[in-house]
Amino acid sequence: MASSSYEGILLGMGNPLLDISAVVDEAFLAKYDVKPGNAILAEEKHLPMYDELASKNNVEYIAGGATQNSIRVAQWMLQIPGATSYIGCIGKDKFGEEMKKNAQAAGVNAHYYEDENAPTGTCAVCVVGGERSLIANLSAANCYKSEHLKKPENWALVEKAKYIYIAGFFLTVSPDSIQLVAEHAAATNKVFLMNLSAPFICEFFRDAQEKALPYVDYVFGNETEARTFARVHEWETENVEEIALKISQLPKASGTHRRITVITQGRDPVVVADDGKVKTYPVILLPKEKLVDTNGAGDAFVGGFLSQLVQEKSIDDCVRAACYAANVVIQRSGCTYPERPDFN
């Protein structure tokens, strides 16, 4: 395929957040009532944490947000200028400018809605022993409105895309935007992909999630999210392979694509449920001393997967690229990567 035919082939829509990342200790987590591996929304008690992290001498500011990470990684893997686009809401501030610069440097065509009143969203990334805990203060990201999506210059990105990816986190912000895009994808036989994203999404945003699911052709998630999903739906099983199969067999709005479910399990094999069958894929194991932090590992996995999917490669190739991208990212701070991928 000529690179021009890849223009805008992949669109992501989500919460653009600036990661404020630092290595902390157990006492810091305890002070703010955060558990290792958490992915949660900030409450009142968490708010002082952002300044405290910012004052640490090892602090790093990295453009983040789950969907944006995945899109950036897909763009990096593809190395085709303009292949990816992204939509989300930032504030008119220093962090927002940082975000725009970062998207541009990554080669992603970002159409940000800029909110006049709210600051750009941030995510506290607390790293203890290589494991990350995420506390998101959505701020401006929470202000995304479907009116922005409906503007001709933004809807054009939806029209142009053949693959559309939205992390489950966006269900808390603009379910009506998700619905617009989901219905468009079903009506035009495009591929629509979502992520379970976090246990709290499966538990507390179940209605919004269930409304979107019939349209989803690919469901991504990790083992904890999958088990939470199963518990919420009273499936009485902890078996990830069984859960992946059941998710893939939930009703679909359109019969064009059958649903494929892809569940990661950290260092354990990736589970793929497709057409009533389950296949597992070993991941690339990394010696503990090479692990920097797991922040962005799942996002990078999806990005690697998408980079092959848009090229119509096999699921085996998609998973191989996904594991490669995740392996690169966990050896670096945040969801970052070297100049060029070394994947063939």
Side-chain angles (χ1 to χ4, degrees):
M1 237 153 92
S3 68
S4 62
S5 57
Y6 279 107
E7 199 195 327
I9 195 166
L10 172 62
L11 169 66
M13 198 158 70
N15 302 335
L17 304 173
L18 193 73
D19 284 354
I20 304 175
S21 177
V23 175
V24 301
D25 53 20
E26 305 273 354
F28 183 92
L29 294 188
K31 175 178 175 182
Y32 291 106
D33 193 22
V34 171
K35 295 179 181 54
N38 259 157
I40 57 176
L41 293 177
E43 296 167 45
E44 207 56 46
K45 64 183 177 188
H46 298 121
L47 297 180
M49 170 192 285
Y50 296 85
D51 284 340
E52 191 174 340
L53 277 176
S55 70
K56 293 198 174 288
N57 55 15
N58 65 0
V59 69
E60 291 184 89
Y61 295 88
I62 307 159
T67 306
Q68 188 165 239
N69 283 343
S70 296
I71 296 298
R72 282 203 340 254
V73 169
Q75 178 62 47
W76 170 68
M77 290 283 288
L78 279 163
Q79 295 283 315
I80 300 166
T84 62
S85 317
Y86 177 78
I87 291 174
C89 183
I90 57 176
K92 281 188 182 299
D93 53 19
K94 177 172 107 254
F95 284 172
E97 289 306 312
E98 195 64 32
M99 202 75 88
K100 287 197 276 196
K101 280 212 299 268
N102 190 281
Q104 209 171 357
V108 175
N109 177 21
H111 284 211
Y112 294 115
Y113 167 55
E114 294 181 48
D115 190 87
E116 298 289 340
N117 308 312
T120 296
T122 50
C123 183
V125 181
C126 308
V127 180
V128 179
E131 184 165 20
R132 60 88 183 124
S133 299
L134 308 175
I135 304 90
N137 186 7
L138 297 181
S139 299
N142 204 27
C143 301
Y144 191 81
K145 304 279 182 289
S146 56
E147 287 77 60
H148 177 260
L149 180 63
K150 290 173 185 163
K151 285 189 177 153
E153 67 272 26
N154 301 320
W155 190 254
L157 298 181
V158 179
E159 294 272 350
K160 188 170 255 184
K162 296 195 177 79
Y163 298 81
I164 301 168
Y165 173 67
I166 303 178
F169 292 120
F170 202 55
L171 287 164
T172 77
V173 172
S174 187
D176 53 334
S177 296
I178 296 178
Q179 214 56 28
L180 281 171
V181 167
E183 286 168 10
H184 165 81
T188 53
N189 297 332
K190 294 179 176 183
V191 178
F192 184 56
L193 313 94
M194 280 194 82
N195 204 308
L196 298 177
S197 288
F200 85 87
I201 299 287
C202 303
E203 287 184 275
F204 306 117
F205 292 87
R206 175 183 176 166
D207 293 351
Q209 192 181 54
E210 283 182 355
K211 211 175 154 202
L213 261 175
Y215 296 93
V216 184
D217 302 307
Y218 285 79
V219 174
F220 295 94
N222 67 26
E223 75 279 43
T224 318
E225 294 149 11
R227 289 187 177 121
T228 305
F229 187 93
R231 193 184 73 239
V232 168
H233 290 82
E234 297 175 348
W235 284 352
E236 311 272 309
T237 177
E238 292 266 301
N239 181 313
V240 173
E241 296 187 20
E242 207 177 314
I243 296 165
L245 255 186
K246 286 182 93 116
I247 292 174
S248 69
Q249 289 162 343
L250 289 169
K252 277 199 99 253
S254 142
T256 312
H257 312 286
R258 50 176 199 268
R259 184 181 300 114
I260 295 175
T261 307
V262 184
I263 306 293
T264 59
Q265 313 186 80
R267 49 184 303 128
D268 293 326
V270 176
V271 173
V272 177
D274 175 15
D275 204 17
K277 294 185 281 292
V278 170
K279 202 168 166 184
T280 59
Y281 298 83
V283 301
I284 310 160
L285 288 178
L286 188 71
K288 187 87 174 131
E289 64 275 10
K290 282 195 157 175
L291 173 72
V292 174
D293 69 55
T294 54
N295 182 22
D299 304 336
F301 179 92
V302 173
F305 192 100
L306 290 169
S307 72
Q308 305 307 298
L309 190 67
V310 303
Q311 299 179 70
E312 298 177 10
K313 299 279 178 63
S314 69
I315 295 292
D316 291 11
D317 283 343
C318 291
V319 174
R320 218 163 46 82
C323 291
Y324 165 77
N327 184 264
V328 167
V329 162
I330 61 176
Q331 296 182 63
R332 305 169 64 93
S333 182
C335 196
T336 61
Y337 37 78
E339 197 175 332
R340 289 195 170 274
D342 175 24
F343 175 78
N344 43 33

